[in-house]
Amino acid sequence: MLTFEEKLSIINSFPELVRKDISMGRVNFHYEKSALDKKIVVHNLHPNGNGFVYTRNIGDFETDHKGMTNIRDYSESALRDIIKQAIKSLSPSENAEVIPDDERWINTNEQTLLLTYEDGLWNVYAGQNLDGSFHSYKQATQFLDEEGFQRG
């Protein structure tokens, strides 16, 4: 596990991030040019080495209900990679690809499913019935594609 100082050094190497000291020695890093209301890329980096990176709209990362991934045991290369992806996901050029909280999916029989992000999971609903839960947007959309549904 990287130390707090090592993680700070890596995160500080991203000039687009602005350090914001918060309580109990913890640190946040903001991306002020974010195309979204969300600006925090690194959240609650703690002197014990624990911390989180915002990954809601990227990859197959396990996230909490806020869209954050724990980076406690990340290596240097993994930490750099996740931060690069997080910044990219918030960048104005990526804004067109931002995933909404809810999406309607329709098949050729006019059946409709709702894909929604709730409590860190992507849930597929048929009416009020839960049809499936997925850890990532990618997994959920692959399921819907395989079932013959398209965004509608």
Side-chain angles (χ1 to χ4, degrees), residues 53-77:
V53 171
Y54 183 70
T55 58
R56 179 168 179 258
N57 293 324
I58 56 176
D60 289 325
F61 295 100
E62 187 174 325
T63 64
D64 65 13
H65 68 282
K66 294 180 183 177
M68 298 286 185
T69 297
N70 190 299
I71 57 167
R72 180 178 186 88
D73 297 322
Y74 272 48
S75 66
E76 177 179 354
S77 62

Side-chain angles (χ1 to χ4, degrees), residues 69-95:
T69 297
N70 190 299
I71 57 167
R72 180 178 186 88
D73 297 322
Y74 272 48
S75 66
E76 177 179 354
S77 62
L79 182 57
R80 286 186 187 283
D81 183 55
I82 196 172
I83 291 171
K84 283 179 192 173
Q85 290 185 59
I87 292 169
K88 183 178 179 188
S89 77
L90 296 172
S91 295
S93 62
E94 295 295 313
N95 192 32

Side-chain angles (χ1 to χ4, degrees), residues 13-103:
S13 72
F14 290 89
E16 55 268 73
L17 297 180
V18 176
R19 179 180 173 151
K20 305 272 185 172
D21 293 333
I22 55 176
S23 64
M24 298 170 32
R26 295 173 298 159
V27 182
N28 286 346
F29 285 85
H30 294 222
Y31 178 48
E32 298 296 337
K33 293 181 182 177
S34 175
L36 307 176
D37 288 339
K38 182 71 177 169
K39 294 191 183 310
I40 298 175
V41 171
V42 178
H43 179 66
N44 281 347
L45 183 63
H46 193 278
N48 70 8
N50 201 23
F52 300 87
V53 171
Y54 183 70
T55 58
R56 179 168 179 258
N57 293 324
I58 56 176
D60 289 325
F61 295 100
E62 187 174 325
T63 64
D64 65 13
H65 68 282
K66 294 180 183 177
M68 298 286 185
T69 297
N70 190 299
I71 57 167
R72 180 178 186 88
D73 297 322
Y74 272 48
S75 66
E76 177 179 354
S77 62
L79 182 57
R80 286 186 187 283
D81 183 55
I82 196 172
I83 291 171
K84 283 179 192 173
Q85 290 185 59
I87 292 169
K88 183 178 179 188
S89 77
L90 296 172
S91 295
S93 62
E94 295 295 313
N95 192 32
E97 298 180 33
V98 171
I99 301 164
D101 288 337
D102 295 315
E103 285 184 346

Side-chain angles (χ1 to χ4, degrees), residues 86-145:
I87 292 169
K88 183 178 179 188
S89 77
L90 296 172
S91 295
S93 62
E94 295 295 313
N95 192 32
E97 298 180 33
V98 171
I99 301 164
D101 288 337
D102 295 315
E103 285 184 346
R104 295 211 178 282
W105 287 68
I106 302 172
N107 69 10
T108 56
N109 296 327
E110 300 294 320
Q111 293 171 316
T112 301
L113 296 178
L114 180 66
L115 174 61
T116 187
Y117 185 77
E118 301 172 310
D119 299 322
L121 292 172
W122 290 96
N123 295 321
V124 176
Y125 288 96
Q128 293 183 348
N129 297 322
L130 180 64
D131 195 31
S133 288
F134 304 89
H135 288 285
S136 74
Y137 178 79
K138 182 178 178 181
Q139 291 171 337
T141 58
Q142 284 175 339
F143 166 79
L144 289 163
D145 286 337

